[in-house]
């Protein structure tokens, strides 16, 4: 028994001596073609090298994503605090033609002159609230810098602004003064006539500018259209609803 133990110790000591005689090589510097490399060592090296490459790829990808985030920050949508009506292109328009939508009983299809070379096609849900003959040749207020939308197969290039009560069972198109020039851009408050150019439709949609402005548009006690306390004005005077007071505008 003692002899067997001594033989095992000698064998282990010999193996240790051989290991000590071969200097340790980190796996990053290890060559699979190095003399004495066993198939097992080659396999371990291959696995570790693959793992190292995956880690390096993940690190590079994360760094690239961080750079993109810094280079192109996400724009925050506008809020009530930053809502600015001057970003909106709101103009005096005149309906030159109006007919019922062929595929929707509640919609009108209007051709509206807003001071451009050709009238704009705009679809409005006013059939239940305004008779067709009352829409013809009517002056209205038009929001012009929304992106076009398909309304039951017809592309609408704007919105006719209207006052409505809370139940939405009474709706009145906003009325500019009869003398207001077609195509004139409205402004808010006496000091708002000199206003910057409106935002482009893409920016209006991306930043949700209309969604920030619209809740702050209302009629006052005299049915005058206002943004907060600033009256909606044309060069001929204020814009009003026919009768709805303290009403939403959209």
């Amino acid at each position: 028994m003692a002899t067997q133990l001594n033989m095992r110790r000698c064998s282990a000591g010999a193996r240790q001596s051989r290991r000590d005689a071969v200097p340790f090589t980190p796996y990053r510097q290890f060559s699979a073609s190095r003399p004495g490399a066993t198939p097992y060592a080659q396999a371990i090296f291959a696995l570790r090298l693959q793992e190292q490459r995956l880690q390096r790829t993940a690190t590079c990808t994360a760094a690239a994503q961080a750079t993109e985030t810094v280079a192109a920050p996400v724009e925050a949508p506008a809020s009530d605090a930053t809502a600015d009506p001057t970003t909106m292109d709101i103009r005096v328009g005149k309906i030159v033609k109006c007919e019922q939508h062929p595929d929707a009983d509640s919609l009108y299809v209007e051709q509206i002159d807003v001071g451009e070379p050709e009238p704009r096609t705009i679809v409005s849900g006013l059939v239940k609230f305004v008779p067709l003959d009352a829409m013809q040749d009517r002056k209205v207020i038009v929001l012009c810098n929304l992106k076009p939308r398909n309304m039951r197969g017809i592309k609408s290039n704007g919105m006719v602004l209207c006052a409505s009560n809370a139940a939405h069972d009474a709706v009145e198109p906003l009325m500019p003064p009869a003398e207001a020039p077609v195509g004139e851009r409205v402004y808010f408050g006496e000091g708002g006539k000199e206003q910057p150019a409106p935002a482009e439709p893409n920016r209006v949609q991306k930043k949700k500018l209309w969604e920030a402005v619209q809740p702050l548009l209302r009629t006052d006690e005299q049915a005058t259209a206002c943004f907060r306390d600033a009256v909606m004005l044309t060069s001929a005077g204020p814009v009003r609803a026919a009768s709805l007071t303290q009403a939403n505008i959209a």
Side-chain angles (χ1 to χ4, degrees):
M1 185 69 175
T3 302
Q4 291 177 354
L5 288 173
N6 289 334
M7 289 176 65
R8 290 175 184 171
R9 288 172 183 167
C10 289
S11 177
R15 288 196 298 272
Q16 182 65 44
S17 298
R18 285 196 298 271
R19 284 198 297 269
D20 292 342
V22 179
F24 172 73
T25 302
Y27 75 90
R28 293 184 182 86
Q29 301 174 4
F30 184 83
S31 172
S33 62
R34 182 174 182 142
T38 66
Y40 175 77
Q42 292 177 8
I44 292 297
F45 169 75
L47 289 172
R48 289 179 175 175
L49 186 60
Q50 183 180 17
E51 183 182 80
Q52 188 180 40
R53 285 172 178 167
L54 289 173
Q55 290 175 346
R56 186 161 54 245
T57 300
T59 301
C60 292
T61 301
Q65 291 174 345
T67 302
E68 290 176 1
T69 301
V70 172
V74 176
E75 295 186 37
S79 63
D80 285 359
T82 59
D84 182 0
T86 67
T87 60
M88 298 292 103
D89 187 6
I90 304 175
R91 304 185 208 168
V92 176
K94 182 178 181 180
I95 299 174
V96 296
K97 182 181 179 182
C98 183
E99 56 189 3
Q100 193 159 339
H101 195 297
D103 298 320
D105 293 340
S106 63
L107 300 178
Y108 284 135
V109 180
E110 306 123 4
Q111 301 298 319
I112 304 182
D113 181 3
V114 290
E116 296 172 335
E118 297 292 335
R120 287 194 180 209
T121 299
I122 295 179
V123 180
S124 304
L126 293 172
V127 171
K128 297 178 182 179
F129 307 106
V130 184
L132 181 59
D133 58 352
M135 293 289 287
Q136 307 291 347
D137 299 320
R138 183 187 189 116
K139 278 192 174 180
V140 289
I141 298 296
V142 181
L143 176 58
C144 294
N145 59 340
L146 297 178
K147 290 193 74 173
R149 294 177 55 195
N150 281 319
M151 303 284 285
R152 299 294 294 272
I154 296 179
K155 187 170 288 188
S156 180
N157 290 280
M159 179 190 298
V160 174
L161 294 185
C162 301
S164 64
N165 62 0
H168 204 71
D169 55 12
V171 177
E172 298 172 351
L174 294 183
M175 302 184 304
E179 301 80 11
V182 170
E184 180 181 25
R185 188 177 170 204
V186 306
Y187 54 97
F188 293 88
E190 293 294 343
K193 191 170 185 178
E194 299 299 325
Q195 56 185 330
E200 293 296 322
N202 283 338
R203 184 166 178 262
V204 171
Q205 178 174 298
K206 182 179 179 181
K207 296 275 288 180
K208 299 187 181 300
L209 299 180
W210 172 240
E211 287 81 356
V213 169
Q214 186 274 320
L216 303 175
L217 290 170
R218 293 185 62 82
T219 59
D220 62 13
E221 294 83 355
Q222 288 77 43
T224 304
C226 301
F227 174 81
R228 293 195 173 103
D229 296 326
V231 173
M232 184 186 292
L233 292 169
T234 70
S235 58
V239 175
R240 291 188 168 90
S243 63
L244 291 174
T245 61
Q246 300 294 334
N248 297 319
I249 294 175

